[in-house]
Amino acid sequence: MTAACEIPTVRLVDTSFARLLAMVFGSGLSMYLLTSVVPLYLAASSADRHGAGGIGAGLSTAAMMFSAVAVELLVPRMLARWGYRVVLGLGLVLLGAPALVLLATASLPIVLAVCAVRGAGLAILVVGAVALVADLTPAARRGEALGVYGVAVGVPAVIGLPLGVYLTHVVGFAALFVLAAVSSLAGLVALVGLPAKVGAEEQHVRVLGGVRRNGLLMPSLVFAAVTVAAGISVTFLPLAVAVGKQSMVATALLLQAIAAPLARWVAGRYADRVGPAKLLGPALMFAAAGAAALVLLPSAVAVLIGSTCFGIGFGAAQNLTLTLMYNRVDRSRYGQVSALWNLAYDGGWGLGALIFGAVVAGIGYPTAFALTAAVVALAVVPAVRASVA
């Protein structure tokens, strides 16, 4: 029997791992509460005065994600120099505190600046947290550990994405901005007891170094294709549906947010047994089918089923690509893998939102969603090849 099939019965969630999960829950809630709300905030407050409209909504997501991409290149070096606690604490402050600035203004340049600073905090947190998961857990149960981490990240999406859209009509934008700030800053308490230093003394801090040689390029590009669709659906689905149907949008986002972490956990459990490459192709097929269903807007059935299918594919692809990448490197490259995977995540998310926002006015939402599905479908080919290699 291979080592991949022998799953030790050691305790997976110890005290340190539990503290990490609590921290990522709070920071994830801070992110997801505002993911769909900031585009709505700009559309409601800035469009009439500044002509922001869909372009402004796309820019808000792009500003956060491209800022994250830039900072993610630096995080492995930061971790090697200052350790987990200092770096993660900085990330919590940068993600949470700037949300309070939105209480004072809806000016497009300032909102974009806030999004950029929050993106820097997000970059620090996701790269640091994922690297710490790999450091804290046994290699033979890494897929499951990443699945548990995915649930801790995904539950805030379950709560935050639909709740943020719904509460804009109940308590208003200001209360949401305060809640997002508090959710992130409260995570500072959980840092006590986490490891101060990285697990390996010699860390590979060049994020793009040896990517092709170590087999990291394919899973990075495949995952980026899926995150392009994720950024588009979360940013533009609330804008693509009539105002009177926002409850349907909230339900669709809820279903997607529930499906993703569950699929991420299940995929991790099976990836430890059969290998992540064999499951990646089917995961992408689910994601492509879900994205394609949005072509049938404004059909409620299509939106709800499509969002669920996309959530399944997106969640599974998150775990499978990351597990595949960690399995191909040694411990010194854990920080590099985390940074590279998150570059694919945030870069795809931001690029998708930016391009979609720029072209949707000319071609309409159905055609734009069809092109999105095609991008995901193209990624199925290298994923299937990897499973039979």
Side-chain angles (χ1 to χ4, degrees), residues 279-338:
L279 304 176
L280 186 54
L284 293 175
M285 292 176 189
F286 266 99
L294 298 181
V295 174
L296 301 177
L297 279 169
S299 168
V301 174
V303 171
L304 295 176
I305 294 178
S307 296
T308 303
C309 287
F310 182 79
I312 293 172
F314 180 47
Q318 286 179 329
N319 190 302
L320 298 170
T321 52
L322 186 56
T323 303
L324 184 62
M325 293 167 73
Y326 273 126
N327 288 349
R328 291 179 172 181
V329 300
D330 59 33
R331 192 167 186 152
S332 68
R333 289 182 178 266
Y334 283 179
Q336 180 195 19
V337 165
S338 179

Side-chain angles (χ1 to χ4, degrees), residues 170-257:
V170 179
V171 300
F173 291 108
L176 283 171
F177 297 151
V178 173
L179 181 58
V182 172
S183 297
S184 182
L185 296 175
L188 292 169
V189 178
L191 292 179
V192 179
L194 288 181
K197 298 295 183 182
V198 296
E201 293 185 3
E202 295 294 330
Q203 287 290 305
H204 184 89
V205 297
R206 292 178 58 234
V207 174
L208 302 180
V211 170
R212 183 184 295 274
R213 183 174 63 255
N214 289 281
L216 303 179
L217 183 60
M218 183 280 292
S220 299
L221 293 178
V222 164
F223 185 53
V226 185
T227 62
V228 164
I232 289 171
S233 65
V234 171
T235 302
F236 288 96
L237 187 57
L239 301 177
V241 176
V243 174
K245 296 185 177 181
Q246 288 303 304
S247 60
M248 183 264 285
V249 174
T251 302
L253 292 175
L254 176 63
L255 291 173
Q256 179 173 316

Side-chain angles (χ1 to χ4, degrees), residues 7 13 53 248 302 369:
I7 311 300
V13 182
M248 183 264 285
F369 281 127

Side-chain angles (χ1 to χ4, degrees), residues 135-150:
D135 247 348
L136 291 175
T137 54
R141 298 186 70 185
R142 183 172 295 135
E144 184 179 1
L146 291 171
V148 172
Y149 167 80

